[in-house]
Amino acid sequence: MPSSDADPASSQFQHTSVLLDGAVDVLVHQPEGVYLDGTFGRGGHSRVILSRLNDTGRLIAMDRDPQAVAAAADIADSRFTMVQRDFARLGEVAREQGVHGKLAGILLDVGVSSPQLDDPERGFSFMRNGPLDMRMDPSRGESAAQFLARASEADIAKVFKTYGEERFAKRLARAVVTRRVEAPFTHTVDLAEVLKTAHPAWEKGRHPATKAFQGLRIYLNGELEQLDAALEAALEALAPGGHLVVISFHSLEDRRVKRFIRHHVRGDTHLPRGVPIRDDQLNRRLEALSKGVRPSDDEVAENPRARSAVMRAARKRV
């Protein structure tokens, strides 16, 4: 969710919402409808959504990051509701708000936001030294430092490989376990330097610790599992004809979104050959609205973190 608005709670960290108008153009098809922004961030998409709604329209926003929730206080609009929760629980929130099965659209902007990356105290990036945390909600779960202090070499390698797609996962995990005997990892730059030294094949233009850091972040925050749960919940929470728009930032996320939409567009394809069946019996629940939309060259020039973004959208069948 590398995303333009100054964060009211922490104005030095800027947040430029990716595919801002493009995503909202697809999402908002009924100005009077109720919409859900599952990843508020710093409110870039939410503000544009509100600008497209009429007086009876409504927007519910969610985020698990307490700093994002604090930033939402800057929006003084009676049509707007902010809830602190992860987007995997969007069905629960929709029920509490009395709109389950009635949402005109749901937006999911997946991943980590620019303020999270840019704030060294959050521990997401090795570009500035900070505590090795990486949790989107610092009040819950295990920090990166805690995980690296207790996990086995095999588990660390699995995280690097599975969630970071790091080719040299075993080698990097071995370096982490060897070094922690001398001293625990507590800060981002310390870990990055150990990974950098252990990495045998540096890619041009990319820090050798990048994939391992990505793997740790995704694992610690349960990002892929959260995405799977959010997609399933969104399908049930949408009204017939409602739009689902998802922006993802790397192949692990995008493959899941693509597979989910394709499955529900095709319907039940696991049927015995030769069995006569009507089209309406295939349980096709979605229609594709867009396939792999990417940011324009101008948007990437303005916000380099947007370069890997992919937007996919679908409509729930009536």
Side-chain angles (χ1 to χ4, degrees), residues 2 25 135 154 176 307:
D25 286 346
R135 290 171 294 176
V176 167
R307 65 186 179 275

Side-chain angles (χ1 to χ4, degrees), residues 231-232 235-236 244 257-268 282-288 314-317:
L231 291 171
E232 294 291 346
L235 185 56
E236 302 304 324
L244 172 65
V257 177
K258 182 179 180 180
R259 186 167 59 239
F260 176 84
I261 292 176
R262 184 175 58 202
H263 170 72
H264 288 288
V265 166
R266 291 178 177 177
D268 189 357
L282 289 173
N283 196 29
R284 292 174 174 162
R285 303 190 68 189
L286 291 174
E287 301 170 77
R315 178 192 292 115
K316 184 173 177 177
R317 284 179 178 266

Side-chain angles (χ1 to χ4, degrees), residues 1 3 15 17 20 24 27 34-50 58-64 75 80-83 85-87 90 93 103 105-110 245 247:
M1 186 173 41
S3 198
H15 190 63
S17 297
L20 183 59
V24 178
L27 181 74
V34 182
Y35 293 84
L36 188 145
D37 181 352
T39 41
F40 178 80
R42 293 304 181 269
H45 287 114
S46 282
R47 287 178 172 85
V48 177
I49 293 168
L50 286 166
R58 184 180 170 199
L59 174 64
I60 302 161
M62 300 173 59
D63 207 298
R64 57 175 154 174
I75 299 180
F80 176 74
T81 302
M82 182 72 203
V83 180
R85 226 162 300 172
D86 57 71
F87 64 23
L90 67 84
V93 170
L103 290 168
I106 295 173
L107 172 66
L108 303 176
D109 184 2
V110 186
V245 179
I247 302 170

Side-chain angles (χ1 to χ4, degrees), residues 9 38 40 68-69 83 94 96-97 101 142 146 179 227 251 270 289 300 306 309:
F40 178 80
V69 176
V83 180
E96 290 172 0
Q97 298 292 324
E142 186 176 38
Q146 291 168 330
R179 208 319 286 280
L227 176 58
S251 59
H270 302 291
L289 292 175
V300 173

Side-chain angles (χ1 to χ4, degrees), residues 18-31:
V18 174
L19 290 161
L20 183 59
D21 290 316
V24 178
D25 286 346
V26 178
L27 181 74
V28 180
H29 58 106
Q30 295 174 350

